[in-house]
C-alpha cells in the first residue's frame, strides 16, 4: 500500500515507467519523440487499407510514389506533427498530476490556525511524510521554500514578495517547456513548402525538357497538362503541412491556457493555505515560548 498521499513516482507519466522525467510539466524529448514515431506508425497503418483501394485522393497524398510521383515529404511532416502532439499529450497528463497537489491539505481547516516560524518546520516535515518528491510539485515546492525561509523573513509582505518571485520563476519555466513545440510548429509548414518547391522543380524541369527537344504542339499540350497535374500534387504537401500546423497550434494554445489557469490556482492555494495564516513574531517571543514548553 502506498504510504504517500501524493506519490510523484507513481503519478508522473514518465517517472512511473522508469524514464528520466523532468519536473513540473516539462517533458523528456527522447520519450516524446519515440511516442511520435509510434503515433506516426499507427496513423499510416490505419490509412493503408484505404490507400490500397486507390480511390481517395485525400488518403493517397499522405504516401509517396504512385503515378503522380509524390515525394516522401508527408512522412516527415506527420512525424513532426505527431511528435508535437506527443509532447502536448504528456504535458496534459503531467498537468493533471500537478493539479492533484491543489487538493493536498497543508494545514488544519480552521480559520484561526496560525503559521509562524515556530511551526513552519513541523509543516514541512508533515508535507515530506505525505508527499513523495515535493520538489516536483509546483505549488507544494513553492510553499516549502517559503516556509523554509520563514525565519529570515520579518513581515507578511516579505513572504508575499517571495511567493511572487517564485511564481514568476515557475511561469518562466513553464513557458520554456513550450520552446520545442513552438519550433516544431514553425518547422512543419516549412517542410511542406520544401515539398512543394521540389514538386514544382520536377514539373517545370520535365516541361523544359520537352521544349528543348523541339516537340510539336500536341506534345507541348500533353507536357503542359503534366505540369499542371504536377503542380497540384506539389501543393498537396503544403496543404498537409498547413492543416497539421494549424491543428497543433490550436491544441498548444489550449494547453498553454490550461497551464496559465493552473498557475493562477497555485497562487490562490498559497494565499489560502499560507499567506492568510501567517503571523510574524519576534525572536524574543519565540525564545520565551520555547522555554515555557
Amino acid at each position: 500500500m502506498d504510504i504517500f498521499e501524493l506519490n510523484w513516482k507513481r503519478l508522473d507519466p514518465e517517472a512511473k515507467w522508469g524514464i528520466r522525467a523532468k519536473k513540473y510539466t516539462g517533458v523528456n524529448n527522447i520519450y516524446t519523440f519515440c511516442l511520435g514515431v509510434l503515433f506516426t506508425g499507427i496513423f499510416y497503418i490505419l490509412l493503408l487499407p484505404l490507400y490500397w483501394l486507390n480511390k481517395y485522393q485525400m488518403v493517397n497524398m499522405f504516401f509517396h510514389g504512385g503515378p503522380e510521383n509524390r515525394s516522401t515529404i508527408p512522412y516527415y511532416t506527420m512525424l513532426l506533427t505527431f511528435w508535437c502532439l506527443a509532447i502536448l499529450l504528456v504535458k496534459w497528463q503531467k498537468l493533471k498530476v500537478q493539479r492533484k497537489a491543489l487538493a493536498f491539505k497543508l494545514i488544519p481547516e480552521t480559520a484561526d490556525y496560525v503559521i509562524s516560524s515556530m511551526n513552519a518546520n513541523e509543516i514541512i516535515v508533515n508535507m515530506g511524510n505525505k508527499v513523495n518528491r515535493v520538489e516536483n510539485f509546483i505549488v507544494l515546492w513553492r510553499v516549502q521554500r517559503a516556509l523554509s525561509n520563514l525565519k529570515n523573513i520579518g513581515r507578511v509582505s516579505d513572504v508575499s514578495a517571495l511567493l511572487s518571485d517564485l511564481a514568476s520563476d515557475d511561469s518562466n519555466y513553464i513557458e520554456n517547456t513550450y520552446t520545442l513545440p513552438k519550433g516544431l510548429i514553425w518547422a512543419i509548414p516549412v517542410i511542406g513548402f520544401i515539398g512543394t518547391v521540389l514538386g514544382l522543380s520536377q514539373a517545370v524541369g520535365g516541361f523544359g525538357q520537352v521544349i528543348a527537344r523541339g516537340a510539336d504542339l500536341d506534345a507541348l499540350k500533353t507536357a503542359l497538362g503534366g505540369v499542371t497535374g504536377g503542380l497540384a500534387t506539389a501543393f498537396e504537401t503544403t496543404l498537409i503541412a498547413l492543416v497539421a500546423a494549424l491543428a497543433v497550434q490550436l491544441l498548444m494554445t489550449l494547453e498553454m491556457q490550461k497551464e496559465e489557469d493552473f498557475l493562477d490556482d497555485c497562487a490562490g492555494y498559497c494565499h489560502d493555505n499560507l499567506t492568510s495564516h501567517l503571523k510574524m513574531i519576534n525572536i524574543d517571543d519565540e525564545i520565551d515560548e520555547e522555554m515555557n514548553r
Side-chain angles (χ1 to χ4, degrees):
M1 183 177 179
D2 198 343
I3 62 174
F4 297 105
E5 290 185 17
L6 288 174
N7 192 333
W8 183 79
K9 287 186 177 180
R10 292 191 177 184
L11 293 172
D12 186 84
E14 294 174 338
K16 67 181 181 181
W17 298 109
I19 298 171
R20 185 177 179 181
K22 292 187 177 181
K23 66 178 184 177
Y24 305 163
T25 58
V27 301
N28 185 306
N29 293 333
I30 297 177
Y31 173 61
T32 53
F33 177 76
C34 293
L35 283 179
V37 173
L38 176 63
F39 294 159
T40 303
I42 294 174
F43 174 77
Y44 276 99
I45 288 174
L46 293 176
L47 284 186
L48 268 178
L50 296 176
Y51 174 68
W52 287 333
L53 293 176
N54 198 26
K55 293 182 178 180
Y56 306 99
Q57 177 71 11
M58 295 297 293
V59 173
N60 294 344
M61 67 182 183
F62 286 95
F63 295 84
H64 76 286
E68 298 86 357
N69 193 27
R70 293 185 176 91
S71 68
T72 58
I73 292 296
Y75 298 142
Y76 310 126
T77 301
M78 298 313 299
L79 175 59
L80 294 186
T81 300
F82 282 110
W83 185 9
C84 195
L85 289 176
I87 293 174
L88 296 179
L89 174 63
V90 175
K91 284 179 68 63
W92 173 70
Q93 293 175 326
K94 281 176 166 280
L95 183 60
K96 290 175 61 177
V97 174
Q98 293 295 320
R99 280 200 166 276
K100 292 180 181 294
L102 295 175
F104 179 76
K105 295 181 180 180
L106 181 68
I107 58 175
E109 295 180 347
T110 56
D112 58 347
Y113 185 83
V114 174
I115 299 176
S116 69
S117 56
M118 297 297 298
N119 61 359
N121 188 66
E122 178 183 341
I123 298 174
I124 293 174
V125 172
N126 180 63
M127 192 188 310
N129 291 333
K130 294 182 179 180
V131 181
N132 169 258
R133 303 293 292 273
V134 174
E135 67 275 11
N136 287 326
F137 291 97
I138 294 179
V139 66
L140 298 182
W141 181 234
R142 193 183 299 181
V143 169
Q144 186 181 68
R145 291 172 70 184
L147 291 173
S148 299
N149 288 276
L150 189 56
K151 289 186 177 182
N152 300 322
I153 297 173
R155 295 171 301 180
V156 174
S157 59
D158 294 332
V159 179
S160 299
L162 174 61
L163 289 173
S164 179
D165 291 339
L166 295 175
S168 178
D169 293 340
D170 293 338
S171 180
N172 291 334
Y173 177 83
I174 294 297
E175 184 178 355
N176 290 336
T177 62
Y178 283 96
T179 300
L180 179 58
K182 288 179 180 179
L184 293 176
I185 291 174
W186 172 85
I188 289 170
V190 171
I191 289 181
F193 291 139
I194 292 175
T196 296
V197 171
L198 291 175
L200 289 174
S201 63
Q202 292 177 358
V204 174
F207 183 68
Q209 292 178 2
V210 172
I211 295 177
R213 290 196 297 265
D216 56 21
L217 183 59
D218 291 335
L220 289 176
K221 290 181 178 180
T222 302
L224 186 59
V227 171
T228 56
L231 293 177
T233 302
F235 281 111
E236 288 176 352
T237 58
T238 297
L239 173 64
I240 293 173
L242 291 178
V243 172
L246 175 61
V248 175
Q249 177 65 56
L250 292 175
L251 290 174
M252 188 182 73
T253 301
L254 292 174
E255 182 64 23
M256 291 177 68
Q257 183 62 54
K258 288 183 178 180
E259 294 206 28
E260 290 175 2
D261 293 341
F262 168 69
L263 291 177
D264 291 339
D265 292 338
C266 287
Y269 180 93
C270 291
H271 176 269
D272 295 340
N273 292 273
L274 180 58
T275 309
S276 62
H277 292 272
L278 280 176
K279 177 184 177 182
M280 296 303 173
I281 57 179
N282 58 45
I283 301 299
D284 293 335
D285 291 340
E286 290 185 19
I287 294 175
D288 292 340
E289 185 174 341
E290 188 69 24
M291 292 179 64
N292 291 331
R293 288 187 174 184

